[in-house]
Amino acid sequence: MNNVEIDGIKYDVSLLSPAGQSLISVLLESNKRLKESQISVALYSAAAIRLIEELKEHLTDDSIIKAAE
């Protein structure tokens, strides 16, 4: 039996209307994709930080842009 809790109340999904069951399916898929997106953001952020650290080894004084005087 699948349950869903909304506002502290548990509901039996199998007793919902077909439209309600469809909404539950969409909600579950949305939550799954949200978690995947959060993991992707963490991975891309970590990669960017690492790439910047590695890039710093290639930065030279000659590549600095001087401010107009």
Side-chain angles (χ1 to χ4, degrees), residues 3-67:
N3 296 327
V4 64
E5 186 172 330
I6 307 289
D7 297 332
I9 302 171
K10 290 183 181 179
Y11 298 90
D12 183 338
V13 174
S14 68
L15 299 176
L16 298 179
S17 67
Q21 290 180 20
S22 179
L23 287 169
I24 293 292
S25 294
V26 171
L27 179 60
L28 291 173
E29 183 64 24
S30 175
N31 285 342
K32 176 185 163 195
R33 291 184 187 198
L34 176 60
K35 287 178 185 179
E36 290 170 353
S37 295
Q38 290 169 332
I39 291 169
S40 292
V41 167
L43 289 170
Y44 290 133
S45 294
I49 290 167
R50 178 64 185 114
L51 289 167
I52 290 170
E53 288 303 313
E54 192 168 328
L55 176 62
K56 287 179 180 179
E57 297 173 14
H58 300 276
L59 301 177
T60 64
D61 289 344
D62 292 338
S63 63
I64 296 173
I65 298 173
K66 308 287 189 234

